[in-house]
Amino acid sequence: NCKLSFINCEFKSCVFKNGTTSKASFYTCDFLNSKIENLILSSCQMEKIRFINLSSKYFSFTSCYLKDISFIDSLLKEVTFQDNKSENISFSSCQLYENEFFHTSFLGTDFSSSLIEGIRIDLDSIRGATFSREQGLELVKMLGVNIK
């Protein structure tokens, strides 16, 4: 039974495709100008991770421990955050398309500098998060509320 650990690593211009990683640990790692497609991270521990200029599609964080995770200038398409224990996740100037946020706390997360379209959420996950006015209107519409 092998458990992967990555400590103080820099993944630069890497491509991660078509896989599942379970119970791996990532500490103080940077993913720079990298691409992630069809990757599931399950029951992983991630602390002090920066995703900078990441392009991702079908990327899933499931039942992970996420602390001090930053997404900067990144494209996240159909990324799932589900059933995670989380603390201090940030998005800065990102494009978030068709992402899912379920049973993962984004308390204190500021989404206002990012473009958000077609997300699926539960209210508990976004409680205490910050959104721009335009994003707030879209969230209200998702709840079935009509605004004049």
Side-chain angles (χ1 to χ4, degrees), residues 73-103:
D73 297 320
S74 294
L75 170 64
L76 286 80
K77 187 170 183 184
E78 298 185 63
V79 174
T80 300
F81 294 86
Q82 184 169 332
D83 296 321
N84 299 295
K85 293 186 188 300
S86 60
E87 183 179 335
N88 194 27
I89 299 176
S90 66
F91 298 90
S92 179
S93 300
C94 292
Q95 298 172 48
L96 308 170
Y97 298 108
E98 306 294 326
N99 294 290
E100 296 182 339
F101 302 97
F102 294 111
H103 309 289

